[in-house]
Amino acid sequence: MRTTICELFNIEYPVIQGGMVWLGTWELVSAVSEGGGLGIIGSGNAPPGWVREQIRLTRERTDKPFGVNIMLMSPFVEQVIQVVLEEGVPIVTTGGGNPGIHIPRLKEAGVKVMPVVSSVALAKRLERAGADAVIAEGMESGGHIGETTTMALVPQVVDGVNVPVVAAGGIGDGRGLAAALCLGAHGVQMGTRFICAEECIAHINFKKKILEARDRATVATGYTTGHPVRCLENRMARQFAAMEARGATVAELEKFGEGKLQLGVIKGDIENGSLMAGQVAGLVKDIKPAAAIIREIVEEAERVIARLSTSYLGVANG
Ligand SMILES: Cc1cc2nc3c(=O)[nH]c(=O)nc-3n(C[C@H](O)[C@H](O)[C@H](O)COP(=O)(O)O)c2cc1C
């Protein structure tokens, strides 16, 4: 299954592991890239030294392409870009805003840039700024979210830009990959599914919580801060929502949220920590190596597409 995205990034399968703060470390990134997908280091709010170390550790494990996700709300954006350039990282994705001002510097150094967008307007603006591709991410995804669903957003972004589009949000199996291709995307980015990769350093309590999740297990909080986040519902999410309902200030909410993601996803406190994950959590039923996840998804998508081309009957279960 080769698409324009495979050509652009020199990868085998059009499957990208979304940059995830705390979880997009060399262990998962190198496993995904070795498995033929594209692994992305999640730099989050981490200092530049940490990002450099992750890049070097990834390179020790794989000579395949990988990328770095730059979180635009980080206080270290400039320094992380510097590290990316010094280390010769070939691909950058961005999250949490408009990376327009950074694109020329990255492009001049030959870095391929693929920002996450949640609207057609931003996709068009970033295409004009020089983005090589865009990731259209729907609001069913884990982490920071926009307002439009993947199903509605992806074809509109596809129609709005000429660069390849990657679909993200709510994709966890081969049916999702096939559907994304039907919507005009050239590949998929997944976060939640890869949390349950064997190589992902997420705490086992968090992984188990994803395995137990049903279709309505997530909630979106933080709308009053202007930065809504989707996570699994737990005590922390309920407390956060209650604070918002009684009109807590952004400063109060930020203080309450401090350190909670690490507490949940790394330390495994599944009640008091934040457990960022998407609606597709209900579809994740096993923990397996990243390479097996990629292979399974691509094979299932190929089966679904082959069956669709001969009959519309019996497609539902792959
Ligand atoms: C725990 C977690 C952390 C994330 N951190 C980031 C991040 O730092 N930067 C970013 O651009 N996206 C981040 N995302 C979004 C993912 O990269 C990806 O686009 C998203 O998870 C796709 O939706 P899915 O969860 O339905 O697969 C995060 C998602 C999760 C679940």
Side-chain angles (χ1 to χ4, degrees):
M1 182 183 281
R2 283 193 77 74
T3 70
T4 320
I5 284 294
C6 302
E7 307 293 328
L8 183 63
F9 298 134
N10 197 18
I11 54 177
E12 212 172 327
Y13 305 114
V15 178
I16 297 164
Q17 164 252 313
M20 291 186 281
V21 54
W22 292 113
L23 304 179
T25 59
W26 64 267
E27 292 92 335
L28 179 60
V29 175
S30 58
V32 169
S33 287
E34 271 297 291
L38 182 66
I40 308 273
I41 294 169
S43 64
N45 286 329
W50 182 88
V51 180
R52 195 187 299 278
E53 189 188 18
Q54 294 299 315
I55 294 168
R56 293 187 176 172
L57 289 167
T58 303
R59 280 236 167 87
E60 279 173 23
R61 269 86 187 170
T62 183
D63 53 12
K64 304 246 169 84
F66 66 93
V68 170
N69 174 260
I70 297 176
M71 196 59 182
L72 297 163
M73 291 179 281
S74 160
F76 300 112
V77 170
E78 287 295 336
Q79 293 100 307
V80 170
I81 290 177
Q82 193 56 35
V83 167
V84 162
L85 297 178
E86 284 167 10
E87 296 292 324
V89 174
I91 300 152
V92 158
T93 66
T94 61
N98 180 347
I101 54 163
H102 305 294
I103 293 182
R105 190 169 158 214
L106 290 162
K107 295 291 301 171
E108 272 162 33
V111 179
K112 302 242 164 64
V113 184
M114 180 166 64
V116 170
V117 300
S118 56
S119 73
V120 176
L122 185 57
K124 284 183 165 176
R125 211 173 305 149
L126 295 176
E127 179 185 40
R128 280 197 299 276
D132 296 277
V134 293
I135 303 164
E137 188 189 69
M139 53 91 78
E140 47 276 70
S141 77
H144 290 274
I145 55 171
E147 287 173 8
T148 311
T149 60
T150 304
M151 187 82 169
L153 180 67
V154 171
Q156 295 187 66
V157 173
V158 167
D159 287 348
V161 297
N162 292 309
V163 290
V165 176
V166 167
I171 298 160
D173 67 9
R175 292 170 297 182
L177 169 55
L181 297 176
C182 286
L183 295 177
H186 290 255
V188 294
Q189 167 163 296
M190 304 189 299
T192 303
R193 179 64 186 102
F194 279 121
I195 295 173
C196 285
E198 258 173 41
E199 297 88 349
C200 177
I201 64 161
H203 196 283
I204 187 65
N205 294 352
F206 178 32
K207 292 186 181 185
K208 281 188 179 154
K209 185 99 175 149
I210 291 179
L211 296 183
E212 288 161 10
R214 296 201 185 171
D215 52 346
R216 296 174 62 209
T218 71
V219 284
T221 58
Y223 280 103
T224 61
T225 68
H227 300 291
V229 165
R230 182 175 301 286
C231 52
L232 295 175
E233 189 181 31
N234 64 358
R235 188 185 301 143
M236 146 75 191
R238 284 190 293 275
Q239 283 173 345
F240 197 96
M243 285 176 74
E244 286 193 279
R246 64 161 200 270
T249 63
V250 172
E252 282 170 328
L253 291 165
E254 277 175 359
K255 182 146 185 38
F256 177 70
E258 251 170 42
K260 292 289 198 294
L261 185 60
Q262 187 191 22
L263 181 66
V265 307
I266 300 292
K267 296 184 182 157
D269 185 340
I270 53 168
E271 278 309 323
N272 300 304
S274 165
L275 303 177
M276 280 187 187
Q279 292 182 337
V280 79
L283 205 59
V284 179
K285 293 288 171 238
D286 53 15
I287 298 171
K288 55 170 64 146
I293 292 175
I294 295 169
R295 212 169 36 244
E296 186 178 272
I297 284 177
V298 170
E299 284 172 6
E300 187 186 16
E302 282 171 341
R303 277 200 308 277
V304 170
I305 292 164
R307 208 174 298 175
L308 265 175
S309 64
T310 54
S311 164
Y312 295 109
L313 302 172
V315 164
N317 295 314

